[in-house]
Amino acid sequence: MAGAALDVFEHEPAVSEELLGMENVVLTPHIASATRETRLAMGMLVVSALRAVLLEGRIPENAV
């Protein structure tokens, strides 16, 4: 692999020294979802899941 851009780490908020020392890795804070549109969509997913479970008695579509 030539390089990587990461915004999620194994032991957040700590970042391993190995990753910090790599010149071919770009590290960013965990903010990939920090837009109004994404946060609204995330909220709507919660509403949809709650409706599925509480009103329809079914497993939500995005259950893992």
Side-chain angles (χ1 to χ4, degrees):
M1 182 181 312
L6 307 171
D7 87 332
V8 177
F9 310 102
E10 183 177 12
H11 301 287
E12 289 189 35
V15 179
S16 74
E17 292 295 324
E18 295 163 324
L19 282 176
L20 290 170
M22 298 177 121
E23 292 184 19
N24 62 340
V25 175
V26 175
L27 305 173
T28 63
H30 191 110
I31 59 171
S33 68
T35 66
R36 286 180 194 236
E37 294 82 7
T38 302
R39 295 291 167 97
L40 178 60
M42 290 165 63
M44 294 309 294
L45 281 173
V46 170
V47 170
S48 176
L50 287 171
R51 285 183 177 160
V53 172
L54 299 175
L55 300 178
E56 301 166 12
R58 62 181 178 82
I59 297 173
E61 293 178 22
N62 60 347
V64 177

